[in-house]
Amino acid sequence: MSSYMPRSDADFNNWQGNFIATLTNYLTDLGLTAEEITPITTAQTTWTTAYNNHIAAQSAAESARQDKDDSGKQYKSLLRQLVNQLQVNPQMTDAMRQGLGITVSKSTASSLGEPTTRPIPRVEVKGRYQLEIHFVDETTPTRKAKPSGVMGSEIWIKIGDPPPTDPQELTFVALDTATPYVMEFKGEDVGKTAYFMLRWVNRKGESGPWSQTVSMMIPG
């Protein structure tokens, strides 16, 4: 029964404008007064204001998107130019490249030996049933950068006492390439102590020495 009313906002807006204008001309012929259709004309005013605001917001959003895209292209182009300069700078090291998050030459990486330093882990409560494991290298404890040639940190766990005295007691959790790592637990583990040990792994899959053990009670 409502097929006469267009579905799209733009077509509906044109239709309703014609409807109200034409109806106003027919009021006397139809025995109607302006007061009788006041709810309709009031609703029309509300609709027209909302529709025009919507059109304006869409136009502003499209303009903002275009500005974002244009500025992004310019910024990325400048960043690429700078990275190209840095890559050929004789003072640039692979550790610096790692810290900056730019490409490390595969030929250079493949010549790196197994990790010789240890991660320093730190664990804290993230939320219900969640623990968050942070890690930094012992040689750069104030920075998040991994050692040169390292792909990430292996995270191993033992749930429940007593504390582990041998890595053989641990279970592998994940190889995390960027600190921190969030681990989810089951309800049955709440109240138990989770013990963690970590070690660096390079791009050839070679692992370094174990970290100290850190622990935290699993929250419920």
Coordinates of all heavy atoms in Angstrom, one line a residue, residues 115-121 134-148 150 179 200 209:
P115 N 70.6 -15.8 19.2 CA 70.6 -14.7 20.2 C 71.5 -15.1 21.4 O 71.6 -16.2 21.9 CB 69.1 -14.7 20.7 CG 68.4 -15.3 19.5 CD 69.3 -16.3 18.9
T116 N 72.1 -14.0 22.0 CA 73.0 -14.2 23.1 C 72.5 -13.5 24.4 O 73.0 -13.7 25.4 CB 74.4 -13.7 22.8 OG1 74.3 -12.3 22.4 CG2 75.0 -14.5 21.6
T117 N 71.5 -12.7 24.2 CA 70.9 -12.0 25.3 C 69.6 -12.5 25.7 O 69.0 -13.3 25.0 CB 70.7 -10.5 25.0 OG1 69.8 -10.3 23.9 CG2 72.1 -9.9 24.7
R118 N 69.0 -12.1 26.9 CA 67.8 -12.7 27.4 C 66.7 -11.6 27.4 O 67.0 -10.4 27.7 CB 68.0 -13.2 28.8 CG 69.0 -14.3 28.9 CD 69.2 -14.8 30.3 NE 69.5 -13.7 31.3 CZ 69.5 -13.8 32.6 NH1 69.1 -15.0 33.1 NH2 69.8 -12.8 33.4
P119 N 65.4 -12.0 27.2 CA 64.4 -11.0 27.5 C 64.2 -10.8 29.0 O 64.5 -11.7 29.8 CB 63.1 -11.8 26.9 CG 63.6 -12.9 26.2 CD 65.0 -13.3 26.8
I120 N 63.8 -9.6 29.3 CA 63.4 -9.3 30.7 C 61.8 -9.3 30.7 O 61.2 -8.4 30.2 CB 63.9 -8.0 31.2 CG1 65.4 -8.0 31.2 CG2 63.4 -7.7 32.6 CD1 66.1 -6.7 31.7
P121 N 61.2 -10.3 31.3 CA 59.7 -10.3 31.2 C 59.1 -9.6 32.4 O 59.7 -9.5 33.5 CB 59.4 -11.8 31.3 CG 60.5 -12.4 32.0 CD 61.7 -11.6 31.8
H134 N 54.8 -8.5 29.2 CA 55.6 -7.5 28.6 C 57.1 -8.1 28.5 O 57.5 -8.8 29.4 CB 55.6 -6.2 29.3 CG 54.3 -5.6 29.4 ND1 53.9 -4.5 28.7 CD2 53.2 -5.9 30.2 CE1 52.6 -4.2 29.0 NE2 52.2 -5.0 29.9
F135 N 57.8 -7.7 27.5 CA 59.2 -8.1 27.5 C 60.1 -7.1 26.8 O 59.7 -6.4 25.8 CB 59.4 -9.5 26.9 CG 58.7 -9.6 25.5 CD1 59.4 -9.3 24.3 CD2 57.4 -10.1 25.4 CE1 58.7 -9.4 23.1 CE2 56.8 -10.2 24.2 CZ 57.4 -9.9 23.0
V136 N 61.3 -6.9 27.3 CA 62.3 -6.0 26.7 C 63.7 -6.8 26.8 O 63.8 -7.8 27.5 CB 62.5 -4.7 27.4 CG1 61.2 -3.8 27.3 CG2 62.8 -4.9 28.9
D137 N 64.7 -6.3 26.0 CA 66.0 -7.0 26.1 C 66.8 -6.5 27.3 O 66.7 -5.3 27.6 CB 66.7 -6.8 24.8 CG 68.0 -7.6 24.7 OD1 67.8 -8.8 24.7 OD2 69.1 -7.0 24.7
E138 N 67.6 -7.4 27.8 CA 68.3 -7.0 29.0 C 69.4 -6.0 28.7 O 69.8 -5.3 29.6 CB 69.0 -8.3 29.6 CG 70.0 -9.0 28.7 CD 70.6 -10.3 29.3 OE1 70.3 -10.5 30.5 OE2 71.3 -11.0 28.6
T139 N 69.8 -5.8 27.4 CA 70.8 -4.8 27.1 C 70.1 -3.4 26.9 O 70.8 -2.4 26.9 CB 71.6 -5.2 25.9 OG1 70.7 -5.3 24.7 CG2 72.3 -6.5 26.1
T140 N 68.8 -3.4 26.6 CA 68.1 -2.1 26.4 C 66.8 -2.2 27.2 O 65.7 -2.1 26.6 CB 67.9 -1.9 24.9 OG1 67.2 -3.1 24.4 CG2 69.1 -1.7 24.1
P141 N 66.9 -2.2 28.5 CA 65.7 -2.4 29.3 C 64.7 -1.3 29.2 O 63.5 -1.4 29.6 CB 66.2 -2.6 30.7 CG 67.5 -1.9 30.7 CD 68.1 -2.1 29.3
T142 N 65.1 -0.1 28.8 CA 64.2 1.0 28.7 C 63.5 1.2 27.3 O 62.7 2.1 27.1 CB 64.9 2.3 29.0 OG1 66.0 2.6 28.1 CG2 65.5 2.3 30.4
R143 N 63.8 0.3 26.4 CA 63.3 0.3 25.0 C 62.6 -1.0 24.7 O 62.9 -2.0 25.2 CB 64.4 0.6 24.0 CG 65.1 2.0 24.2 CD 66.3 2.1 23.3 NE 65.9 1.9 21.9 CZ 66.5 1.2 21.0 NH1 67.5 0.5 21.4 NH2 66.1 1.1 19.8
K144 N 61.6 -0.9 23.8 CA 60.8 -2.1 23.4 C 61.5 -2.8 22.2 O 61.1 -3.9 21.8 CB 59.4 -1.7 23.0 CG 58.6 -1.2 24.1 CD 57.1 -1.0 23.7 CE 56.3 -0.5 24.8 NZ 54.9 -0.3 24.4
A145 N 62.6 -2.2 21.6 CA 63.2 -2.8 20.5 C 63.8 -4.2 20.8 O 64.4 -4.4 21.8 CB 64.3 -1.9 19.9
K146 N 63.6 -5.1 19.9 CA 64.2 -6.5 20.0 C 65.7 -6.4 19.6 O 66.1 -5.5 18.8 CB 63.5 -7.5 19.1 CG 62.0 -7.6 19.5 CD 61.3 -8.7 18.7 CE 61.3 -8.4 17.2 NZ 60.3 -7.3 16.8
P147 N 66.5 -7.3 20.0 CA 67.9 -7.4 19.5 C 68.0 -7.6 18.0 O 67.0 -8.1 17.4 CB 68.5 -8.6 20.3 CG 67.6 -8.8 21.4 CD 66.2 -8.4 21.0
S148 N 69.1 -7.1 17.4 CA 69.2 -7.3 16.0 C 69.1 -8.7 15.5 O 69.7 -9.6 16.1 CB 70.6 -6.7 15.6 OG 70.8 -6.8 14.2
V150 N 66.6 -10.7 15.8 CA 65.6 -11.4 16.5 C 64.2 -11.3 15.9 O 63.8 -10.2 15.6 CB 65.6 -11.0 18.0 CG1 64.3 -11.5 18.7 CG2 66.8 -11.6 18.7
T179 N 55.9 -6.9 21.9 CA 55.4 -6.8 23.2 C 54.2 -5.8 23.3 O 54.2 -4.8 22.6 CB 56.5 -6.4 24.2 OG1 56.0 -6.4 25.6 CG2 57.0 -5.0 23.9
W200 N 64.5 -15.3 23.4 CA 64.5 -14.8 22.0 C 64.7 -15.9 21.0 O 65.4 -16.9 21.2 CB 65.6 -13.7 21.8 CG 65.6 -12.5 22.7 CD1 66.5 -12.0 23.5 CD2 64.5 -11.5 22.7 NE1 66.1 -10.9 24.1 CE2 64.9 -10.5 23.6 CE3 63.3 -11.4 22.1 CZ2 64.1 -9.4 23.9 CZ3 62.5 -10.3 22.4 CH2 62.9 -9.4 23.3
P209 N 69.2 -17.8 25.3 CA 69.1 -18.2 26.7 C 67.8 -17.9 27.3 O 67.1 -16.9 26.9 CB 70.3 -17.5 27.4 CG 70.6 -16.3 26.6 CD 70.3 -16.7 25.2

